[in-house]
Amino acid sequence: MPLIRLDNASLHFGLQVILDKVQLVIEPGQRVCLLGHNGAGKSTLMKVISGDVNLDEGEMWRQPGLKIARLEQDLPDPDELTVFEVVSQGFEKEGELIAQYHKLAGQSDPNMNRLGQLQSQIEAVDGWAIEQKVQSILTRLDLPADAQMSSLSGGWRRRVALAKSLVIEPDVLMLDEPTNHLDIEAIEWLENQIAQYRGAVVFVTHDRALVQKLATHIVELDRGHLRCWDGDYHSFLNFREQQMAEEQRHNALFDKRLAEEEVWIRQGIKARRTRNEGRVRALKALRVERAERRERHGKANFELQQADNSGKLVAELTGVTQHYGEKRLIENFSTTLIRGDRIGFLGPNGAGKSTLLKIILGDLVPAEGNVRLGTNLSVAYFDQLRDQLDLDKNAVDNIAEGREFIDVNGKRKHIISYLSDFLFTGERARTPLRVLSGGERNRVLLARLFSKPANLLVLDEPTNDLDVETLELLEELLSNYEGTLLLVSHDRAFLDNVVTSCFAFEGDGQVREYVGGYEDWLRQGGRWHRHRDAANSQAGSGASAATTQESEPHSAVKHDAKGKKLSYKLQRELAELPRKIEVLEAEIASLQEAMAAPAFFDQPREVTEKSLTALAEKEAALELAFERWAELDAL
């Protein structure tokens, strides 16, 4: 039985058509990804599904008693509320009572009368069962109950928001850009949580790796219509290409027929016979149909302004070390950057990626070591915080700076024509940036960046808020860029498609260079080491203490054995690990494929729980195998 069904659903905002008589069914166990370009109405469709926006026409049916939870795109406020209080808000009135009791009971000298009143109120609404659910989800997501939100990083606040959504055990979990503000490690954690969730999931994201791993169904919102596909993202791309080719063929035939009829009507009608009058009426109908056709959203057309070549050497780092107090960000790192390198920076938030960028660019002098910069460097810098933009000015003023024309690779372009390549109409180009969306502001910054000649391009999180089509075009542009590229990104697919090597921040100041992108880093045994310690310092001493204790013996073994030759037993163990890892990966892939089937959760509960437990055990074994491989390989 479906959970949610839309029949002939229509919705308009002024002249913009969001939904045009669409059909949609969401079944239990499905993981549905909503795709579409920026501004297509994906978030609006989610609000329709959750009941926050009403349809203009059509029917919206939900299963009686259906529970829906939404994870908003914006992070929870970094206020003085504790994690327990925020997660309890998922239960509204009952949760508020539980939160008050928890806070009061934690005081050294609580008001016993008030404590008794709260206890009676909680018992009246069966609140202790709710308190148990809150504690259970905090334990499951490894969250410190008494930590204040103001003390948590963005990734940990996202984890708290997810706990608030999950604690009510919703039938449908809705996620709007859930990977925002998360680093790669946190994104992978989120993937595992969603993969193990038993209810239906509807999510919007531009992270293609996340879509490929999680989605069992794809729904693309395109010009008010829904293009639905039962399958993964890669197979959907083939399906969409076929659909678009068929649409273009149909439109071409229609336009040809319309053109022939227009020629006929201009030749004059020899006699007002019935068949000619019918042909005129048919022509009028064709004109109306052509006028009502909604064209596909335009594609951006980026072009990089190339500067003269830099010297062959871009930068040479020798023994670079950088500490902040007792925190080691970079320890004795040496590398050489050559013209044409495309380097990706991998690492958790706060690991030191931006610090290394500043050292390479000469904006920061390291505590130890030497940096030698090459000659004739012309740098263009993309800032993820968009600090280079004046939000009170429009796109034209931010880019042209008083000029009417700009030169791009020897071509003289009017500023409005140049901005049209970045999908800006004349009206949007003259709209203050303050009222534009995040994706539009990102395109303005890219337009500003690409209008200036550069041979060293530095991009810090350029993919935020960009739709998939724009991401793919940016990938193509950067792949053909002849200069040097330094890229910081948590988009795994983007890294794989663009960079030729990576600097990986693996913890304890260790920065290692790997050939290829993110997947290549994984294949070469790359892993975050002691990454939880940083998270614990942000989330409070109560978070993941057990994990920290577990990581210490591995570190100790590596330290004690450093410089020693491997024994025969350890050599055999190291040689057998790749095969073991391969087998585990195959078993995990098989389990995930079985769990992705729509009918998986229709099985008896004990069957599904057995599979979920097996998956968790295999993943834990794989993690240990990778850690052991890295440990032995470093000896």
Side-chain angles (χ1 to χ4, degrees):
M1 183 178 180
L3 300 175
I4 295 172
R5 184 177 65 245
L6 271 69
D7 272 333
N8 291 319
S10 296
L11 180 64
H12 299 73
F13 285 165
L15 297 177
Q16 184 183 7
V17 179
I18 304 297
L19 302 174
D20 186 6
K21 298 181 180 179
V22 303
Q23 316 289 326
L24 180 64
V25 175
I26 298 175
E27 303 275 358
Q30 290 182 346
R31 295 195 292 270
V32 181
C33 178
L34 297 182
L35 297 179
H37 65 76
N38 291 335
K42 301 185 295 296
S43 295
T44 302
L45 176 55
M46 292 186 74
K47 291 177 182 178
V48 169
I49 294 172
S50 63
D52 295 331
V53 172
N54 295 322
L55 295 171
D56 294 335
E57 299 177 17
E59 180 186 357
M60 173 71 202
W61 180 87
R62 299 181 193 84
Q63 191 179 96
L66 187 73
K67 287 191 291 184
I68 300 177
R70 285 182 60 194
L71 180 66
E72 299 290 349
Q73 185 171 345
D74 296 329
L75 288 174
D77 293 331
D79 50 29
E80 302 308 309
L81 292 178
T82 65
V83 170
F84 187 96
E85 290 171 324
V86 173
V87 175
S88 298
Q89 290 173 356
F91 289 102
E92 298 180 352
K93 184 178 178 181
E94 298 90 339
E96 184 179 349
L97 293 174
I98 292 292
Q100 290 180 24
Y101 181 89
H102 181 85
K103 184 175 182 178
L104 190 60
Q107 296 177 0
S108 57
D109 187 19
N111 184 327
M112 300 306 296
N113 290 332
R114 177 58 181 157
L115 206 60
Q117 292 174 357
L118 287 171
Q119 186 171 352
S120 300
Q121 291 175 302
I122 291 170
E123 290 173 350
V125 295
D126 194 24
W128 296 122
I130 292 175
E131 195 267 349
Q132 188 176 6
K133 288 181 179 179
V134 174
Q135 293 287 5
S136 175
I137 198 69
L138 293 179
T139 301
R140 175 182 158 194
L141 300 191
D142 203 15
L143 288 167
D146 296 321
Q148 291 184 335
M149 295 295 289
S150 58
S151 68
L152 302 184
S153 67
W156 282 83
R157 280 188 282 141
R158 174 69 67 190
R159 189 177 291 208
V160 173
L162 181 62
K164 180 182 175 182
S165 300
L166 292 176
V167 73
I168 64 171
E169 299 176 351
D171 302 298
V172 181
L173 177 63
M174 310 193 72
L175 310 171
D176 192 356
E177 292 291 356
T179 61
N180 278 2
H181 310 284
L182 300 185
D183 56 32
I184 292 177
E185 183 189 12
I187 291 172
E188 291 177 336
W189 172 88
L190 180 65
E191 281 179 348
N192 291 330
Q193 294 298 321
I194 298 174
Q196 295 172 23
Y197 182 65
R198 298 181 182 180
V201 180
V202 181
F203 63 101
V204 173
T205 184
H206 296 143
D207 188 321
R208 290 159 292 175
L210 185 84
V211 179
Q212 175 61 24
K213 182 171 181 179
L214 292 180
T216 60
H217 296 71
I218 306 290
V219 175
E220 184 178 42
L221 181 55
D222 181 17
R223 294 164 288 171
H225 299 289
L226 296 182
R227 184 180 290 116
C228 302
W229 177 251
D230 295 351
D232 65 9
Y233 178 64
H234 289 161
S235 60
F236 166 76
L237 293 179
N238 295 328
F239 164 73
R240 182 176 65 179
E241 187 175 351
Q242 295 170 1
Q243 293 281 302
M244 291 172 59
E246 178 63 24
E247 179 185 339
Q248 290 174 357
R249 187 186 69 82
H250 177 272
N251 288 343
L253 291 174
F254 179 93
D255 292 343
K256 180 181 178 182
R257 181 185 172 195
L258 177 60
E260 290 171 348
E261 293 301 293
E262 292 288 1
V263 170
W264 170 80
I265 196 68
R266 284 168 176 75
Q267 292 175 346
I269 304 175
K270 295 178 180 179
R272 290 286 177 180
R273 295 194 297 268
T274 302
R275 67 174 181 272
N276 281 341
E277 292 177 2
R279 191 170 178 179
V280 171
R281 287 194 297 270
L283 173 58
K284 290 179 179 179
L286 288 175
R287 288 172 173 171
V288 171
E289 184 177 346
R290 179 62 183 88
E292 291 179 348
R293 182 195 298 174
R294 290 191 287 275
E295 301 293 345
R296 278 189 57 80
H297 188 261
K299 290 189 69 174
N301 183 26
F302 300 161
E303 185 178 0
L304 266 170
Q305 174 83 302
Q306 295 278 358
D308 294 336
N309 284 341
S310 66
K312 185 175 182 180
L313 174 70
V314 174
E316 184 180 46
L317 280 64
T318 306
V320 168
T321 296
Q322 187 67 27
H323 297 173
Y324 282 115
E326 296 182 357
K327 184 176 181 181
R328 294 184 293 175
L329 293 180
I330 305 168
E331 191 74 33
N332 194 28
F333 178 59
S334 300
T335 190
T336 300
L337 275 65
I338 303 298
R339 183 179 65 230
D341 282 347
R342 296 199 297 272
I343 310 294
F345 287 62
L346 293 177
N349 291 330
K353 300 185 295 295
S354 296
T355 299
L356 182 56
L357 270 180
K358 292 177 181 178
I359 290 174
I360 292 174
L361 297 176
D363 296 335
L364 179 65
V365 177
E368 300 177 19
N370 298 310
V371 178
R372 183 162 67 97
L373 297 179
T375 58
N376 197 31
L377 292 178
S378 180
V379 180
Y381 191 96
F382 182 99
D383 177 19
Q384 64 168 317
L385 300 178
R386 310 185 185 109
D387 288 340
Q388 303 170 40
L389 299 178
D390 186 339
L391 299 184
D392 294 321
K393 294 181 179 180
N394 57 36
V396 171
D397 294 336
N398 267 281
I399 295 169
E401 298 174 340
R403 298 170 295 170
E404 189 174 353
F405 293 87
I406 61 174
D407 293 322
V408 180
N409 291 329
K411 301 175 186 176
R412 188 171 172 81
K413 277 193 171 185
H414 192 277
I415 183 61
I416 297 298
S417 174
Y418 176 68
L419 282 170
S420 69
D421 292 339
F422 293 80
L423 304 182
F424 286 98
T425 62
E427 179 184 358
R428 296 302 281 178
R430 293 185 173 89
T431 301
L433 265 57
R434 193 171 297 280
V435 300
L436 298 185
S437 68
E440 288 174 314
R441 292 183 192 178
N442 251 20
R443 293 205 303 271
V444 171
L445 189 51
L446 287 172
R448 176 186 172 96
L449 188 75
F450 295 166
S451 68
K452 298 178 180 180
N455 51 39
L456 175 55
L457 195 57
V458 182
L459 303 180
D460 193 354
E461 289 293 344
T463 63
N464 288 343
D465 303 313
L466 296 181
D467 58 40
V468 173
E469 289 183 349
T470 306
L471 279 177
E472 291 173 347
L473 182 63
L474 182 58
E475 285 176 353
E476 182 180 352
L477 178 73
L478 295 177
S479 297
N480 296 325
Y481 180 54
E482 296 179 357
T484 306
L485 172 67
L486 303 179
L487 172 66
V488 178
S489 179
H490 298 309
D491 188 321
R492 294 158 292 177
F494 192 78
L495 286 165
D496 286 335
N497 294 336
V498 170
V499 304
T500 55
S501 59
C502 289
F503 293 160
F505 292 71
E506 298 184 338
D508 290 335
Q510 298 302 309
V511 183
R512 295 187 174 91
E513 188 170 359
Y514 293 83
V515 175
Y518 174 74
E519 290 296 331
D520 297 299
W521 172 71
L522 286 180
R523 279 192 288 270
Q524 294 172 67
R527 277 294 180 271
W528 314 124
H529 298 298
R530 300 178 62 119
H531 53 274
R532 297 260 182 187
D533 294 345
N536 294 343
S537 66
Q538 292 173 326
S541 59
S544 195
T547 308
T548 304
Q549 292 169 1
E550 289 172 3
S551 68
E552 289 174 356
H554 295 292
S555 302
V557 169
K558 181 175 178 180
H559 177 76
D560 293 341
K562 190 174 182 180
K564 295 182 181 180
K565 186 177 179 180
L566 288 177
S567 66
Y568 175 75
K569 181 179 179 181
L570 291 179
Q571 288 177 7
R572 285 197 59 185
E573 183 182 358
L574 180 60
E576 292 170 358
L577 277 171
R579 173 60 183 164
K580 180 180 179 181
I581 289 171
E582 185 179 341
V583 171
L584 286 170
E585 286 179 332
E587 292 173 344
I588 289 172
S590 176
L591 285 169
Q592 289 175 337
E593 182 178 357
M595 292 168 63
F600 175 78
F601 289 100
D602 293 337
Q603 302 176 92
R605 182 174 178 180
E606 57 270 21
V607 176
T608 58
E609 284 187 346
K610 184 177 179 180
S611 297
L612 290 169
T613 302
L615 178 62
E617 290 174 352
K618 298 291 184 186
E619 289 177 335
L622 180 64
E623 182 74 20
L624 289 174
F626 270 121
E627 288 182 1
R628 184 61 173 164
W629 183 19
E631 183 179 300
L632 293 176
D633 189 55
L635 295 180

